[in-house]
Amino acid sequence: MKKIATNYIFLLAFALACAACADKENKAPSPEKGISIEVALPADAGLSRSVPTAPAGHTLRCVLEAWTRDGSTLKARTEQLATGTDPLTIKFDLEDSGEYTAVLWADYIDEGAAAADATLGDITFRHYPDKYYRTTDTDKGLRQASVVTPYANTHDTPDARDAFTGRLAFTKGSTAVTDLKVTLARPLSRLTIAEKDAANVDFCATVTATYKVPAAIDAFTGELLAGQQAEAELSGTPGNTTVTVGGTVCRVLFSDLVLAPDNGSMGEIALSFVPVEANDKLLPAVTIPAGVPLKRGYRVNAAGKIVDPTDPFSRVILAVDIADTWTGDENASTHFQIPDANFRQFCIDQGYADAEGYMILEEAAKVTEMDVFNKNIASLEGIGYFTGLTRLDCSNNSLASLDLSGCTKLTELRCNYNSLESLDVAGCSALSYLSCYYNS
């Protein structure tokens, strides 16, 4: 378990193998044309030496596309279903020698789904019907894998939306290639919204959440496709699942798996409630402000006083935990407390953090300008929560590094008279003024 790091670098290392596919239509490759790739999924996907237990009514599907090394031309595609107990090896033929990139995708589809002939450009293959992610919408194939809409209601089975992807460059000569291995990783964040006052959840017969999610990914590059969003809606009866956020045991209202960038945030999340029949209390709808973090490969638990039958005008203030493990102890996440004492006190004084220095997302997201000149600050860890920040002056402190990659609206930055050895403004495309003199 680790706290958020300002560089937001996270390397997933997975080593356990997925199971073999029993697709009877998977023909053995020829001695000259054959390519074999052994595939592994994250260990926390429930793998040992056998196939992970699929959500009820689902089967794990594996898709492989072979592209020219520059990603311009699709040369082959094959799909397989995972069953059995041996490591998963995908086999296919390539006619020509050359430099290639294998692009892989694994997701859950309907159990018992039958394959049918399909084409992408000049490539013909056997295709299993998509369930949660479209992989054949255009000739781009996995270069434009997208969320199926209308959004499937996975309130009771959120793991059904799980997905994995990976890439592997290889060279095809005049003989078969049989020693290739690749490990897949999730392009997702697990987002959970929970109620701090657990007893209030008992008033709810149904909770409905509506929000927007990133809609498409280029699995060749691993990047989300800019500007594409999908309308999401989940609805169901809250269960008894709990998470611990900031030391408080909270009842889960809903959980979802969302395509995620390395570092980003959600827009607004609207929640409405249907009370149980025996309850005479009003349960007003609420809107969670934009700014809940969205971080690829991480589990994000956000909790607040959301279901409030006593105050229909209360505003939602969330505490957020981010954990670098996907499954396991749901209560072992790390609540983000601003680590630098002076920056923490500044945020407390300004109302951006609570009395103990834990970030208040709603308030941080509202901030457009920040002046921490000469505050004796050694670290601005947590600055990424200020997603609306346009102007920052952090001059005359003792900063050795500064990561502003999460402040995508930043237009003006002054960071003079520090000890900066690294400055990350990747993603700050609006930045028009930078003053950074007298640093290391």
Side-chain angles (χ1 to χ4, degrees), residues 188-222:
L188 309 165
S189 179
R190 180 189 291 274
L191 174 66
T192 298
I193 302 296
E195 168 60 49
K196 278 191 170 183
D197 191 342
N200 280 354
V201 180
D202 292 331
F203 296 132
C204 299
T206 303
V207 57
T208 299
T210 57
Y211 46 96
K212 292 183 178 180
V213 297
I217 183 173
D218 180 350
F220 183 92
T221 64

Side-chain angles (χ1 to χ4, degrees), residues 56-211:
H58 296 79
T59 297
L60 186 67
R61 169 188 66 170
C62 302
V63 180
L64 180 145
E65 292 180 353
W67 289 78
T68 53
R69 183 64 61 85
D70 63 359
S72 63
T73 306
L74 178 65
K75 303 297 288 187
R77 173 162 168 152
T78 187
E79 301 184 16
Q80 300 177 193
L81 302 182
T83 60
T85 58
D86 296 324
L88 168 61
T89 299
I90 298 180
K91 301 178 180 180
F92 61 102
D93 282 349
L94 277 176
E95 291 284 346
D96 302 323
S97 300
E99 304 289 323
Y100 296 94
T101 296
V103 181
L104 297 104
W105 179 271
D107 61 3
Y108 290 109
I109 62 172
D110 284 330
E111 185 177 21
D117 287 338
T119 59
L120 286 175
D122 297 330
I123 306 300
T124 300
F125 56 95
R126 299 288 286 172
H127 173 58
Y128 291 93
D130 299 323
K131 175 69 173 179
Y132 300 106
Y133 303 96
R134 293 189 179 93
T135 64
T136 57
D137 259 5
T138 69
D139 287 348
K140 295 180 179 179
L142 293 179
R143 297 217 58 177
Q144 190 172 328
S146 59
V147 172
V148 169
T149 54
Y151 204 69
N153 186 13
T154 55
H155 181 277
D156 298 327
T157 55
D159 286 340
R161 207 182 296 278
D162 215 347
F164 313 87
T165 188
R167 294 156 297 284
L168 178 67
F170 67 94
T171 301
K172 168 67 171 63
S174 59
T175 59
V177 180
T178 60
D179 59 349
L180 301 177
K181 296 182 179 180
V182 64
T183 300
L184 308 187
R186 290 181 177 90
L188 309 165
S189 179
R190 180 189 291 274
L191 174 66
T192 298
I193 302 296
E195 168 60 49
K196 278 191 170 183
D197 191 342
N200 280 354
V201 180
D202 292 331
F203 296 132
C204 299
T206 303
V207 57
T208 299
T210 57
Y211 46 96

Side-chain angles (χ1 to χ4, degrees), residues 147 151 211-215 228-232 256 258-259 266:
V147 172
Y151 204 69
Y211 46 96
K212 292 183 178 180
V213 297
Q228 297 198 30
Q229 290 190 315
E231 296 284 345
D256 197 9
V258 180
L259 285 174
M266 290 286 292

Side-chain angles (χ1 to χ4, degrees), residues 223-344:
E223 298 294 325
L224 300 183
L225 297 182
Q228 297 198 30
Q229 290 190 315
E231 296 284 345
E233 179 175 299
L234 297 182
S235 184
T237 301
N240 293 313
T241 303
T242 63
V243 293
T244 298
V245 180
T248 301
V249 177
C250 309
R251 288 268 298 275
V252 171
L253 295 174
F254 80 93
S255 184
D256 197 9
L257 301 180
V258 180
L259 285 174
D262 290 334
N263 175 39
S265 61
M266 290 286 292
E268 292 184 344
I269 302 172
L271 292 170
S272 61
F273 312 97
V274 175
V276 296
E277 291 185 4
N279 175 35
D280 59 357
K281 298 181 180 297
L282 294 175
L283 300 178
V286 299
T287 298
I288 296 174
V292 174
L294 201 59
K295 185 171 174 60
R296 182 174 296 187
Y298 278 66
R299 184 176 73 238
V300 178
N301 296 336
K305 195 171 183 181
I306 299 171
V307 184
D308 191 353
T310 63
D311 184 2
F313 302 106
S314 64
R315 61 177 187 160
V316 177
I317 298 178
L318 293 181
V320 177
D321 288 359
I322 297 182
D324 60 2
T325 55
W326 192 262
T327 60
D329 183 4
E330 290 287 342
N331 297 332
S333 55
T334 305
H335 188 37
F336 183 75
Q337 184 183 41
I338 302 168
D340 184 273
N342 293 319
F343 184 41
R344 180 168 64 244

Side-chain angles (χ1 to χ4, degrees), residues 411-416 423 425 431-437:
T411 61
E412 182 179 330
L413 171 62
R414 289 177 171 85
C415 53
N416 311 306
L423 173 62
V425 291
L431 188 64
S432 58
Y433 180 85
L434 171 62
S435 181
C436 191
Y437 56 82

